[in-house]
């Protein structure tokens, strides 16, 4: 009864003429907006700083999703707590897991459970283009009359992503080889590591459900000290408690480690900001990582739009 009452409440979407779409993450929402343009009205359920691994739908999420014409989610076990909800919802409307359109041979495995995929595919911009084309194809099926506009929107957006990928190539290649080690709060950056030839170490596993044990902290402290790694990174959607424990552990052994910056991992920045777009999210990460590890990148990024720190 509560679900029916929520669904029957006032309008969620302002313009019925547009395709009303609900998405989970901001990254998926941004792809649908960029491709759909004036033909879509998009609501993302997960905002800045929200951890999709642990998120469960609220009553307002249920209301929005049951009134939407289509729901787009990431899949690949990212929104693990919402899978049952989406399975039920798919009986009444299109529910599309865009990440699952990617070829299986392009996916990495969850290092703590090889039977599951690592869902963080947006960390490799060129791999992410497959998600954008999946959004385009889904919108074409839902609104075939607008296909020409969807194709044009996708082409323009894909060109911007390629330009960003080229920037990341050059920036990351400028970091000295011995410094190409990324230590973060959880294992969200393995696709980044594969794409750019960096060693990646997360304190927690691929999912933030996995807690970092004392042994993991001790092992990483040993790596920081022995390899003289001077910078590690916090994430916008994950507690910095374990990162601080690493810094304190290294200091106790006479090695100084600083926080190289805050990275966007499972969520983008604030809506209405450049960092609140996929392009801005990756531009920020590429620029912050490069500069903190001794490479060369402009302080305000590829497009000169990054917030001044």
């Amino acid at each position: 009864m509560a679900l029916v009452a929520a669904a029957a409440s006032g309008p969620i979407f302002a313009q019925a003429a547009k395709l009303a779409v609900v998405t989970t993450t901001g990254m998926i929402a941004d792809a649908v907006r960029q491709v759909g343009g004036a033909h879509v009205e998009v609501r993302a359920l997960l905002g800045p700083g929200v951890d999709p691994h642990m998120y469960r739908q609220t009553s307002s999420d249920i209301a929005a999703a049951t009134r939407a014409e289509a729901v787009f989610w990431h899949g690949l076990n990212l929104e693990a707590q919402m899978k049952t909800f989406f399975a039920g919802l798919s009986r009444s409307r299109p529910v599309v897991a865009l990440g699952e359109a990617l070829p299986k041979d392009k996916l990495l495995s969850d290092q703590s459970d090889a039977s599951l995929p690592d869902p963080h595919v947006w960390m490799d911009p060129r791999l992410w283009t497959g998600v954008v084309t999946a959004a385009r194809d889904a919108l074409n099926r839902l609104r075939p009359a607008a296909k020409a506009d969807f194709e044009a929107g996708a082409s323009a957006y894909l060109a911007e992503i390629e330009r960003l990928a080229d920037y990341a190539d050059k920036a990351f290649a400028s970091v000295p080889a011995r410094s190409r080690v990324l230590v973060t709060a959880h294992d969200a950056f393995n696709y980044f590591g594969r794409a750019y030839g960096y060693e990646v170490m997360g304190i927690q596993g691929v999912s933030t459900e996995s807690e970092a044990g004392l042994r993991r902290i001790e092992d990483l402290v040993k790596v920081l000290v022995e390899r003289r790694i001077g910078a590690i990174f916090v994430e916008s959607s994950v507690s910095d408690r374990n990162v601080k424990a690493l810094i304190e552990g290294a200091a106790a052994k006479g090695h100084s480690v600083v926080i190289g910056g805050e990275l966007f991992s499972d969520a983008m920045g604030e809506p209405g900001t450049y960092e609140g777009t996929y392009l801005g999210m990756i531009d920020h990460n590429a620029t912050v990582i490069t500069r903190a590890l001794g490479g060369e990148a402009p302080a305000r990024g590829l497009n000169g739009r990054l917030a001044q720190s």
Side-chain angles (χ1 to χ4, degrees), residues 183-207:
V183 181
T184 62
H186 87 295
D187 268 338
F189 293 85
N190 289 315
Y191 288 99
F192 155 82
R194 182 179 71 178
Y196 299 106
Y198 277 58
E199 186 176 357
V200 175
M201 302 178 191
I203 304 173
Q204 290 175 265
V206 165
S207 171

Side-chain angles (χ1 to χ4, degrees), residues 152-176:
S155 293
Y157 189 43
L158 290 169
E160 286 295 315
I161 294 175
E162 182 59 33
R163 180 168 170 261
L164 174 65
D166 287 343
Y167 168 76
D169 287 342
K170 294 181 178 67
F172 292 134
S174 74
V175 173

Side-chain angles (χ1 to χ4, degrees), residues 20 29-31 73 79 150 167 188 210 227 244 267 269 291 302 308:
D30 197 49
W73 60 308
E79 309 96 327
F150 296 150
Y167 168 76
S210 62
R227 298 179 59 176
K244 290 180 177 178
R291 290 171 64 84
L302 167 64
Q308 291 180 308

Side-chain angles (χ1 to χ4, degrees), residues 183-184 224 229-234 243-244 246-247 257-261:
V183 181
T184 62
L224 293 176
I229 296 170
I232 59 179
F233 298 85
V234 296
V243 173
K244 290 180 177 178
L246 279 188
I247 293 173
V257 178
V258 300
I259 292 177

Side-chain angles (χ1 to χ4, degrees), residues 118 143 275:
D118 181 337
R143 286 286 172 90
E275 289 83 354

